Amino acid sequence: MKSPLSAISPATNPHYIILLWIISCLLMMIFLYYFLQVRSDISFFLPEDQSTIDGVMKHQLTQGEAGKIILIALSAAKTSSFSSASKTQASIKQLAEINKKLTIKLKQNKQFITVQNGSLLLQDLIIEPYYRYRYLLHSQPEVSFSNDSLSNSFEHLLQRLQVIPGPVEQALFADDPQMIWLNLLKQWQTQKLQKHHGVWFDQQGQQTLLFVKTRANAYDLKKQQQNIDIIKSSIDTLITAEATIKYVLTGAPVFAMASKKSISTQIKIISMIASFILMAFLYWFFRSLKIILLIGLPLSFAVLTGITCIILIDGFIHGITIAFGITIIGIAVDYPVHLYSHIIFPAHQEQPSQKTVMHSIWPLIRLGLITTLIGFSAITLSDFSGLRQLGLFAISGLLAAALVTRFMLPIIPVKSTTGSKANKHKIQTSAFKRLLFIIHYPLPKFIYSLSIALPVLALFYIVSQQDSLWQKDLSALSPVPEQQKQQDFKLRKAMELPELRHALVLQAATIEEILQHSELLKPQLEQLKQQHIISGYDMANLYLPSIKYQQQQQKILPTEKELSSRLAAVLKNTPLSENAFLPFIHSVEQSKHMQPLLAQSLLSNQEQPGYEQNGSQNFISDKIKTLLFQQNNTSRKFSTNDKIWTAIIPLQGVEQALPMTTINQSVHFPVYGLDLKVQTEAMLSNYRNDALLWFFLGAILILVLLFSQYSKIADLFAVTWPFTGAVILTIASLLLMGHSLSVFHLVTLLLVIGLGIDYSIFMQYTHPESSEVLQSSEVAQVSVIICLVSTLIMFGALSLSDLPVLKAIGSTASLGALYAFLLARCAIKTQ
Amino acid sequence: MSDYKVFILLFLLLLSGVCTAQDNLQLQKLLSPLAETKHIKLEYEEKRSSLFFKQPQLYQGYIEYISPDTFIKQVAAPNKKKMQIIGDQLTLYHYSKDSSELVQKQVISLDDYPQFKQLKALFMGLFQANISELTRYYHYTINSLADKKTQLRLKSINSNPFTQNKQQNTPFSQQVDIIFNHGDITKITMRGLGGEISELIFDKKVFKQNVLKQNVLKKE
């Protein structure tokens, strides 16, 4: 009775396999067409919230203010050094005008939450609901309702009435003669840059400055590209023949777009060049376009399968997973290369069937596959979602590539050298012989000793370089060019934008609690300022005090009767009319009885009447939303609710360590210190340690498997030493070249191990004593060279990139493959 | 379109251009006596009406312009006050009740006081005969009055960045009428919305110089 499996055996139904493959490809493509979701959110590669600080750091990196700000600097094109002062003044005026027009234009666009250039146009002056609540929100001790204070305020008002006020000013004078609202606005606008013609300029007065805050997060690349395009086209429409203006855009969204463009441009160019060279090389060897296409099939299928599996499991795939994943399953190219090398160059004149060839080399491919899969399966156990997805992608992809090589490629007929035309046969054999010569070239005897000694010495070197072994600085991995980074730094400094590094963090179950804690913390912060430990700080409480504070403010407001009587006394001997200030009396009376301003109403998504100013959100609400947010309550310290409130207090000018112990002792609630640089470095370190742990686990499992396959110590050594030595030599080489290891190096080293095993297995291959199977050890060894050259072409090209991540992957894989080959070559002789 | 209609259209277009050019020429002619003023000081009497005042207030003082960008308005009576603008900096001087002692000096950015900024722009435009600056922020008309006087009427444009009125249907936020008599400014009347009026009458020109002398500004 026939086994059911014979129905799907290639022996009985070869075309069934191809049909099955085509259907699976179609199904996967249709599936991906509807369900493919690629994310570029960096938070996916961040650890799960382990602590308060982890959670805040993740929030800052993904949704923090810094990620949404685009800085714009406009300057005149260089004029002659003999320009007159008047020309310079005219240029400043022109720049200021363009700045104002640009600000108005951008404010009309809902893509931007806020646009600030230092000017506060009258139409933007009244910002509800804060204006209405000014008497509850302000903390100006010099302004009170005493007769002296009122008298002082009206004296200033008289000065202002020397000139005709506009309608908005008129309303303000009548409603708020003490100018509490204007003073509040000044306090809230933290930038103290110099201004010309009402807008910000740098110290030298050569650049006019403004910044926009985008609604989209920094990682939403599509929307950020739109935002940048809007800004550029807005500037271009304002530039005229008379005004030759240069502009600079910088900030996290600009960096993200520049990085994306840089990475994709480099990858495209590198891929094109490398693919061309690789195809040329493969054609030189195989002399068949058909074979080259067939070699590409397993890798293509691997990528398709990998993406489909991830989407099925996670619902989305990260961009980094695709980019990195495709790289590390590059080993899938080796499988068909081995197959076709043996098919094209049979040892005997009679060409064996392709399935026979596959049958003879499949155990080697299988062993290499299993060991590689074990290596990658280790990282699927990682706590980091990003690494897990990478591991799954590699496993599913490599498995798919191996199955296609095993079952489908042997079905598709290709011609060997025996059936070829005479010339072609000659050329192919010549190519084969040239490559074989490399294998059989006699090496000096000391090389073999060196192949053992060098990795050992390299290991000692690595141990001695422990301090510089690991990459600690995240910015070193940044694809942003140094010049652009410096430009951004200069502009940020010129604009006195808040630093993004140091902050204090408070957490509480309710908003009111957290606002009250902030108020209690203020004296400590003022003390830090006086001690010059910090130069400034920002907190949500500065814009929105607690309910308790607002109620205290209400208590000290005079009644309508009291205020009227004081007003009458103060204005008695002045030209000012009491009746003109009835709106003021009414406002104070209203403030005395209104419900306090609640944070919940400001932080909700419901737009309130008067909430938007000329199409753009007011900067105050936006500020509060940045500094006060809800997070998952992972620690369950403050409440049993699922969510907890977090307040972040950015600190400026931190020159020395913060006295956290003193701060915590002075208040009765925990205050956490956040140093974003230190935290991201710690996160990077954890990521790397996690990857290292799984890397070693994977390596150990690989060794265990190989141990079970090779009973002789010599054989085991010949298979394991090349990849072990290759890893050590690669790390040592990278250190000698001045590189430190990052998580990208570690994951690429897994690829090196896979390549090393593949090379060792095929280099050690000796054919069984059977007349039906060919003398294929030489073919196996030549096929290894083909694989090596393919790897060197693809990854060598990557190593020439000036992007740190691509360079890391390329140089690690190239060096690793080369060392693995050389050590495997030496292992033939030593065995 | 027939030839004669084209001709009429072209003629009208040309005429409008000519009229505009003639208006600017007229304004230029009107302001030319003030052109190249380096230093001028004018005594004034002011009647200031405002919804904030119990009754119109009468002031006396002087206005001084010193090239290129210094403007001073000093109230001498009834209570001494002084306002000085140099560049983008506004200094407000507060004096004691008997006007003898300087009590407080407040230095502020002009950007925080847009109405002062507009006042400065107006006088700079006049004393520098800067037509482009004036026409940037104001529509103007020139009318001939009795006694060979000329009235220059300025109405602020809605897109004036100094005021940026929200009410788009408001024709103007400020109207300034300047009366010229044989090249001298004799009266300036400024009208804002809500009953704000300032009438400045210039009786006597203290002096006018076309050459700027050193150390004009006394330190206070």
Side-chain angles (χ1 to χ4, degrees):
Chain A
M1 185 179 158
K2 270 187 181 178
S3 155
L5 289 174
S6 66
I8 56 167
S9 162
T12 51
N13 287 296
H15 297 107
Y16 179 86
I17 299 295
I18 296 173
L19 188 65
L20 191 64
W21 179 79
I22 292 170
I23 290 170
S24 61
C25 283
L26 281 171
L27 284 173
M28 283 195 285
M29 284 196 276
I30 292 168
F31 173 76
L32 290 177
Y33 179 80
Y34 286 105
F35 296 105
L36 178 65
Q37 214 189 79
V38 180
R39 273 172 58 171
S40 52
D41 177 3
I42 190 73
S43 67
F44 185 64
F45 277 80
L46 297 175
E48 300 298 327
D49 298 354
Q50 303 291 332
S51 67
T52 301
I53 293 302
D54 280 345
V56 173
M57 187 187 69
K58 197 167 165 180
H59 182 273
Q60 288 300 101
L61 287 175
T62 58
Q63 295 169 59
E65 195 169 308
K68 299 180 182 184
I69 291 179
I70 299 177
L71 311 179
I72 306 168
L74 307 170
S75 56
K78 278 195 178 161
T79 53
S80 154
S81 56
F82 300 104
S83 292
S84 64
S86 61
K87 268 191 187 168
T88 309
Q89 284 301 317
S91 160
I92 288 175
K93 198 172 179 184
Q94 203 172 52
L95 283 173
E97 289 306 313
I98 291 175
N99 185 325
K100 286 175 192 171
K101 284 178 187 169
L102 179 62
T103 301
I104 292 170
K105 213 173 167 82
L106 294 177
K107 277 187 175 180
Q108 288 164 357
N109 197 308
K110 286 186 187 290
Q111 305 266 59
F112 305 115
I113 296 174
T114 177
V115 185
Q116 292 190 48
N117 65 351
S119 73
L120 203 54
L121 297 176
L122 288 174
Q123 65 208 48
D124 294 333
L125 265 186
I126 310 299
I127 305 173
E128 293 290 1
Y130 306 97
Y131 176 73
R132 209 167 356 113
Y133 281 88
R134 60 193 180 280
Y135 295 108
L136 274 54
L137 303 181
H138 85 98
S139 59
Q140 299 162 39
E142 69 281 7
V143 177
S144 71
F145 293 90
S146 65
N147 284 14
D148 285 339
S149 177
L150 284 170
S151 182
N152 199 34
S153 299
F154 285 111
E155 182 56 38
H156 279 104
L157 183 60
L158 269 172
Q159 276 275 28
R160 292 188 78 142
L161 286 172
Q162 283 188 69
V163 293
I164 306 274
V168 176
E169 289 152 311
Q170 218 178 38
L172 264 178
F173 291 168
D175 206 24
D176 183 17
Q178 296 171 298
M179 306 298 162
I180 284 176
W181 173 245
L182 289 181
N183 289 333
L184 256 180
L185 276 184
K186 267 193 211 168
Q187 259 177 37
W188 288 340
Q189 285 205 308
T190 49
Q191 274 77 25
K192 304 277 187 280
L193 300 172
Q194 70 165 348
K195 293 184 193 177
H196 293 294
H197 303 283
V199 297
W200 288 324
F201 272 79
D202 62 0
Q203 284 296 320
Q204 292 77 32
Q206 284 175 359
Q207 280 183 320
T208 184
L209 309 167
L210 64 154
F211 71 83
V212 303
K213 192 165 169 192
T214 64
R215 202 169 290 278
N217 287 319
Y219 58 79
D220 192 342
L221 297 181
K222 197 174 168 188
K223 287 203 175 133
Q224 290 298 357
Q225 183 60 60
Q226 284 172 358
N227 292 333
I228 292 167
D229 290 340
I230 289 168
I231 294 170
K232 283 184 176 173
S233 65
S234 300
I235 296 173
D236 289 339
T237 56
L238 294 172
I239 294 174
T240 61
E242 298 90 35
T244 49
I245 303 293
K246 295 187 301 182
Y247 62 85
V248 171
L249 301 185
T250 183
V254 177
F255 288 161
M257 291 317 304
S259 304
K260 183 190 167 198
K261 198 175 170 188
S262 181
I263 290 172
S264 68
T265 305
Q266 288 215 12
I267 286 179
K268 269 184 203 158
I269 294 172
I270 288 169
S271 305
M272 264 171 46
I273 296 171
S275 300
F276 178 75
I277 298 172
L278 180 61
M279 280 177 65
F281 171 72
L282 289 174
Y283 186 78
W284 170 78
F285 185 74
F286 288 110
R287 295 288 159 173
S288 168
L289 279 174
K290 185 179 179 181
I291 290 177
I292 292 168
L293 284 169
L294 290 172
I295 285 172
L297 272 184
L299 180 61
S300 314
F301 188 66
V303 172
L304 190 61
T305 309
I307 296 173
T308 306
C309 284
I310 299 297
I311 299 291
L312 279 169
I313 295 169
D314 282 340
F316 68 92
I317 186 165
H318 202 283
I320 294 177
T321 307
I322 299 179
F324 210 13
I326 292 173
T327 312
I328 60 179
I329 60 171
I331 193 174
V333 170
D334 291 359
Y335 304 150
V337 166
H338 288 309
L339 172 65
Y340 288 115
S341 302
H342 285 80
I343 290 170
I344 296 300
F345 297 100
H348 302 295
Q349 285 301 310
E350 301 82 25
Q351 183 187 353
S353 66
Q354 287 177 201
K355 68 171 184 177
T356 308
V357 171
M358 188 71 241
H359 190 73
S360 70
I361 65 168
W362 174 244
L364 308 178
I365 293 177
R366 185 179 56 203
L367 181 59
L369 171 71
I370 292 171
T371 47
T372 308
L373 291 182
I374 287 171
F376 283 117
S377 65
I379 63 170
T380 60
L381 302 170
S382 166
D383 286 333
F384 291 83
S385 322
L387 278 181
R388 262 204 316 273
Q389 211 179 64
L390 214 53
L392 280 169
F393 183 94
I395 289 168
S396 52
L398 286 173
L399 205 52
L403 289 173
V404 165
T405 309
R406 169 68 181 88
F407 292 109
M408 203 186 81
L409 292 188
I411 300 167
I412 303 169
V414 294
K415 285 185 186 164
S416 74
T417 55
T418 53
S420 311
K421 293 177 188 172
N423 274 343
K424 199 173 173 183
H425 172 237
K426 219 173 166 182
I427 293 165
Q428 283 173 328
T429 312
S430 158
F432 180 86
K433 283 180 178 169
R434 282 202 182 102
L435 293 177
L436 193 61
F437 177 72
I438 296 170
I439 301 285
H440 290 165
Y441 186 84
L443 298 172
K445 281 187 183 168
F446 75 89
I447 294 289
Y448 301 102
S449 311
L450 208 60
S451 69
I452 311 285
L454 212 54
V456 174
L457 285 170
L459 188 61
F460 282 116
Y461 173 70
I462 292 166
V463 170
S464 72
Q465 298 297 308
Q466 280 200 57
D467 288 341
S468 54
L469 183 60
W470 302 110
Q471 182 59 261
K472 289 170 191 147
D473 185 6
L474 194 61
S475 65
L477 296 173
S478 164
V480 179
E482 189 59 35
Q483 192 197 7
Q484 215 171 345
K485 282 189 216 171
Q486 285 303 319
Q487 203 172 51
D488 178 71
F489 176 74
K490 273 184 202 162
L491 260 185
R492 283 192 173 274
K493 204 172 167 190
M495 293 191 72
E496 296 180 12
L497 280 176
E499 287 168 31
L500 313 161
R501 185 174 161 180
H502 296 274
L504 295 179
V505 175
L506 303 175
Q507 286 196 319
T510 63
I511 295 181
E512 176 61 15
E513 213 178 318
I514 219 167
L515 289 175
Q516 286 190 24
H517 288 173
S518 304
E519 277 154 21
L520 291 169
L521 193 57
K522 252 192 234 175
Q524 309 305 321
L525 291 169
E526 289 299 322
Q527 205 174 3
L528 290 180
K529 266 176 80 173
Q530 280 167 15
Q531 292 167 351
H532 301 293
I533 295 174
I534 63 174
S535 62
Y537 62 92
D538 200 9
M539 53 161 71
N541 180 265
L542 291 175
Y543 309 92
L544 178 65
S546 65
I547 295 171
K548 186 179 169 186
Y549 178 88
Q550 292 181 57
Q551 286 170 340
Q552 279 169 352
Q553 290 288 90
Q554 276 181 316
K555 281 181 188 160
I556 61 176
L557 290 175
T559 61
E560 191 173 346
K561 203 175 170 185
E562 280 169 351
L563 186 57
S564 297
S565 140
R566 286 181 205 173
L567 215 57
V570 162
L571 297 181
K572 190 179 172 188
N573 295 321
T574 72
L576 295 169
S577 162
E578 288 162 47
N579 289 337
F581 300 102
L582 288 175
F584 167 51
I585 296 171
H586 178 69
S587 290
V588 172
E589 176 64 17
Q590 213 178 22
S591 299
K592 201 165 169 65
H593 302 291
M594 63 170 58
Q595 288 300 311
L597 182 59
L598 299 177
Q600 285 87 340
S601 59
L602 296 172
L603 297 173
S604 72
N605 288 328
Q606 297 295 325
E607 286 179 6
Q608 299 186 8
Y611 198 65
E612 281 207 353
Q613 303 287 323
N614 284 339
S616 65
Q617 283 282 1
N618 67 72
F619 71 94
I620 308 166
S621 299
D622 176 62
K623 201 71 163 160
I624 295 171
K625 276 183 191 173
T626 310
L627 298 170
L628 195 61
F629 48 88
Q630 259 189 325
Q631 278 185 290
N632 292 328
N633 187 8
T634 49
S635 62
R636 301 274 169 185
K637 277 185 216 166
F638 305 102
S639 88
T640 51
N641 296 342
D642 291 337
K643 297 277 185 183
I644 198 169
W645 284 96
T646 301
I648 186 156
I649 303 172
L651 305 174
Q652 307 308 313
V654 178
E655 299 291 341
Q656 45 183 291
L658 295 169
M660 292 307 305
T661 316
T662 314
I663 293 171
N664 272 294
Q665 281 170 355
S666 61
V667 294
H668 63 272
F669 47 84
V671 180
Y672 305 97
L674 171 66
D675 183 334
L676 213 55
K677 185 173 188 281
V678 166
Q679 289 301 132
T680 48
E681 282 170 6
M683 181 203 75
L684 203 64
S685 176
N686 289 340
Y687 219 125
R688 186 194 57 232
N689 292 341
D690 196 79
L692 199 60
L693 173 70
W694 301 116
F695 174 83
F696 276 122
L697 181 66
I700 289 166
L701 288 171
I702 288 169
L703 283 171
V704 166
L705 177 69
L706 289 173
F707 188 78
S708 67
Q709 292 294 309
Y710 293 91
S711 50
K712 292 183 187 173
I713 294 291
D715 290 341
L716 184 64
F717 178 82
V719 170
T720 56
W721 183 243
F723 77 76
T724 309
V727 168
I728 295 170
L729 287 170
T730 305
I731 294 173
S733 304
L734 289 169
L735 287 172
L736 278 169
M737 291 193 293
H739 301 303
S740 297
L741 299 186
S742 68
V743 70
F744 299 107
H745 292 101
L746 281 179
V747 180
T748 312
L749 284 172
L750 279 175
L751 168 66
V752 168
I753 291 176
L755 290 172
I757 294 169
D758 182 55
Y759 296 169
S760 307
I761 291 169
F762 277 87
M763 290 288 262
Q764 301 307 318
Y765 176 67
T766 52
H767 67 93
E769 296 293 331
S770 163
S771 59
E772 286 183 11
V773 184
L774 2 126
Q775 165 62 294
S776 57
S777 57
E778 288 177 344
V779 176
Q781 289 162 359
V782 167
S783 72
V784 169
I785 298 180
I786 305 296
C787 294
L788 170 70
V789 172
S790 308
T791 303
L792 288 177
I793 290 170
M794 293 307 297
F795 289 99
L798 267 187
S799 70
L800 298 174
S801 165
D802 51 15
L803 297 173
V805 172
L806 295 182
K807 202 180 194 68
I809 297 169
S811 45
T812 306
S814 312
L815 285 170
L818 189 61
Y819 287 135
F821 171 77
L822 291 171
L823 290 172
R825 162 70 180 89
C826 294
I828 305 172
K829 180 68 179 177
T830 51
Q831 195 190 11
Chain B
M1 193 189 270
S2 59
D3 286 345
Y4 83 88
K5 284 179 183 172
V6 170
F7 175 74
I8 289 169
L9 186 65
L10 282 170
F11 177 74
L12 287 170
L13 282 170
L14 189 64
L15 196 62
S16 66
V18 167
C19 285
T20 310
Q22 280 186 337
D23 281 344
N24 277 352
L25 278 172
Q26 211 179 350
L27 181 61
Q28 211 166 4
K29 195 179 167 188
L30 187 65
L31 297 178
S32 60
L34 297 166
E36 296 175 22
T37 301
K38 298 297 178 195
H39 187 189
I40 185 167
K41 194 169 180 178
L42 301 166
E43 274 187 15
Y44 71 86
E45 283 177 3
E46 182 183 8
K47 186 181 174 187
R48 178 80 172 84
S49 305
S50 168
L51 67 90
F52 293 103
F53 294 146
K54 292 168 188 165
Q55 58 199 27
Q57 299 296 301
L58 296 171
Y59 300 112
Q60 286 167 346
Y62 68 84
I63 284 173
E64 191 173 359
Y65 166 71
I66 304 161
S67 176
D69 63 352
T70 298
F71 175 76
I72 299 167
K73 187 182 178 204
Q74 170 116 29
V75 179
N79 297 312
K80 193 175 177 186
K81 281 188 194 42
K82 185 177 168 184
M83 169 195 84
Q84 180 177 288
I85 300 172
I86 303 176
D88 282 341
Q89 192 172 292
L90 167 67
T91 309
L92 298 174
Y93 298 84
H94 303 269
Y95 296 88
S96 58
K97 286 251 181 324
D98 61 1
S99 302
S100 60
E101 206 182 309
L102 177 65
V103 169
Q104 193 187 13
K105 188 169 131 180
Q106 220 181 338
V107 180
I108 330 156
S109 166
L110 204 59
D111 298 314
D112 295 336
Y113 286 71
Q115 74 271 38
F116 282 85
K117 201 168 182 177
Q118 182 157 12
L119 187 73
K120 179 198 168 185
L122 174 67
F123 280 100
M124 294 299 183
L126 287 176
F127 292 126
Q128 291 169 354
N130 191 335
I131 292 171
S132 59
E133 187 75 1
L134 282 174
T135 53
R136 202 168 167 198
Y137 301 118
Y138 296 98
H139 288 301
Y140 74 89
T141 50
I142 299 171
N143 305 307
S144 298
L145 302 176
D147 301 335
K148 292 184 183 173
K149 289 179 184 172
T150 311
Q151 180 200 58
L152 172 63
R153 174 162 284 180
L154 303 168
K155 288 187 180 178
S156 63
I157 299 168
N158 271 342
S159 60
N160 187 336
F162 295 147
T163 58
Q164 292 278 334
N165 277 321
K166 249 183 161 170
Q167 299 127 333
Q168 294 299 315
N169 56 354
T170 311
F172 63 94
S173 68
Q174 197 178 86
Q175 178 178 296
V176 183
D177 291 331
I178 306 167
I179 309 292
F180 290 83
N181 190 3
H182 298 292
D184 289 329
I185 298 174
T186 57
K187 188 177 178 184
I188 297 177
T189 307
M190 288 183 272
R191 287 186 179 83
L193 295 173
E196 299 288 331
I197 306 173
S198 168
E199 283 180 71
L200 292 153
I201 298 169
F202 300 98
D203 270 338
K204 191 168 84 175
K205 191 190 309 174
V206 177
F207 62 82
K208 179 183 173 226
Q209 291 166 349
N210 287 352
V211 175
L212 188 60
K213 290 189 177 168
Q214 296 297 323
N215 301 320
V216 172
L217 290 171
K218 287 181 194 166
K219 286 209 173 157
E220 199 162 11

